[in-house]
């Protein structure tokens, strides 16, 4: 999506450690009018898939998930970070390795909110190594829900997550795909 690529070039900052900061419009301050246009694009891509639930992960996926859900007129369910000691039989649980914090944690959703009748669109802000998306797919698998696909705002396509997940036959639509990125040379798109 050209508009998003332009926004990333003008407002994004590449940080050491292979992190793109887009906290001026996506990850801290949120440009709601702009994010609505991304939500509309996700709706265009998945409009005929019978989506009845959007699943994301706290915290940075929640905003874009909600702005997407208004076009699908469906609820947003966000996986919460939890302590292993707090897991119960009322929850689906999976593990995530946090790309930006380099830590592992459990993520959970209540069983009552995700089940066999659901046709789920997974939305997240970034796709890098695929740990967050894998955990969300795993929650859906446990629940017996159907995943129609994933909508990602920014995919770092030089990292393996997207390719590995697509090879499993899962539809992944990313609105911007970064081919390479460095502090010295800036950002190139696919
Ligand atoms: P993955 O689990 O695919 O390795 O990483 C995806 C998650 O890590 C996203 O939910 C996002 O919060 C975070 N993430 C990965 N790469 C970046 C990045 O370059 N910038 C920011 N701001 N977050 C990232």
């Amino acid at each position: 999506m050209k508009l998003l690529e332009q926004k990333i070039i003008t407002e994004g900052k590449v940080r050491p450690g292979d992190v793109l900061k887009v906290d001026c419009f996506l990850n801290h301050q949120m440009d709601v009018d702009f994010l609505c246009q991304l939500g509309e694009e996700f709706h265009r891509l998945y409009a005929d898939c019978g989506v009845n639930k959007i699943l994301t992960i706290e915290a940075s996926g929640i905003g874009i998930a909600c702005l997407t859900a208004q076009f699908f007129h469906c609820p947003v369910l966000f996986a919460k970070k939890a302590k292993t000691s707090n897991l119960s039989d009322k929850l689906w649980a999976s593990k995530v390795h946090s790309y930006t914090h380099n830590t592992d944690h459990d993520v959970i959703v209540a069983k009552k909110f995700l089940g066999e009748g659901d046709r789920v669109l997974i939305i997240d802000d970034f796709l890098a190594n695929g740990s967050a998306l894998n955990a969300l797919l795993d929650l859906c698998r446990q629940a017996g829900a159907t995943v129609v696909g994933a909508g990602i705002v920014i995919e770092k396509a030089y990292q393996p997550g997207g390719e590995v997940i697509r090879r499993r036959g899962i539809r992944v639509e990313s609105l911007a795909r970064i081919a390479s990125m460095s502090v010295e040379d800036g950002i190139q798109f696919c």
Side-chain angles (χ1 to χ4, degrees):
M1 198 179 173
K2 279 281 164 242
L3 199 65
L4 174 60
E5 291 182 5
Q6 205 51 52
K7 187 105 168 157
I8 293 168
I9 294 290
T10 51
E11 298 184 27
K13 298 265 181 297
V14 183
R15 295 285 187 239
D18 215 11
V19 169
L20 173 64
K21 278 214 121 180
V22 281
D23 53 1
C24 41
F25 68 92
L26 181 63
N27 288 140
H28 191 26
Q29 175 171 265
M30 300 178 79
D31 182 339
V32 172
D33 284 346
F34 178 73
L35 297 182
C36 269
Q37 295 180 61
L38 306 188
E40 202 169 6
E41 179 63 8
F42 285 134
H43 181 253
R44 190 186 67 75
L45 291 164
Y46 286 104
D48 56 359
C49 296
V51 173
N52 72 342
K53 196 155 289 183
I54 289 182
L55 177 65
T56 189
I57 186 163
E58 73 173 358
S60 53
I62 296 175
I64 181 65
C66 289
L67 294 170
T68 303
Q70 65 181 339
F71 296 99
F72 286 95
H73 304 288
C74 73
V76 170
L77 178 63
F78 62 93
K80 295 183 174 189
K81 291 170 187 159
K83 292 204 174 73
T84 306
S85 53
N86 287 344
L87 301 185
S88 86
D89 61 358
K90 295 195 167 98
L91 303 169
W92 305 116
S94 193
K95 280 210 184 305
V96 178
H97 178 79
S98 165
Y99 183 88
T100 40
H101 299 107
N102 198 23
T103 51
D104 290 326
H105 54 263
D106 292 292
V107 287
I108 51 117
V109 296
K111 287 184 179 175
K112 65 181 171 188
F113 294 133
L114 189 63
E116 284 177 5
D118 286 320
R119 293 184 60 80
V120 177
L121 172 61
I122 296 175
I123 294 283
D124 205 4
D125 58 344
F126 274 89
L127 174 57
N129 291 321
S131 180
L133 183 50
N134 266 317
L136 296 173
L137 288 165
D138 185 42
L139 294 172
C140 291
R141 184 194 55 76
Q142 291 176 51
T146 302
V147 176
V148 306
I152 303 293
V153 178
I154 303 171
E155 177 179 348
K156 293 191 287 183
Y158 58 91
Q159 292 182 278
E163 200 190 323
V164 171
I165 290 166
R166 286 187 185 96
R167 249 194 270 129
R168 285 165 53 192
I170 293 155
R171 180 177 174 193
V172 180
E173 301 279 359
S174 302
L175 301 186
R177 299 185 75 234
I178 295 177
S180 64
M181 169 179 106
S182 69
V183 178
E184 301 75 30
D185 301 326
I187 301 164
Q188 286 75 42
F189 293 98
C190 295

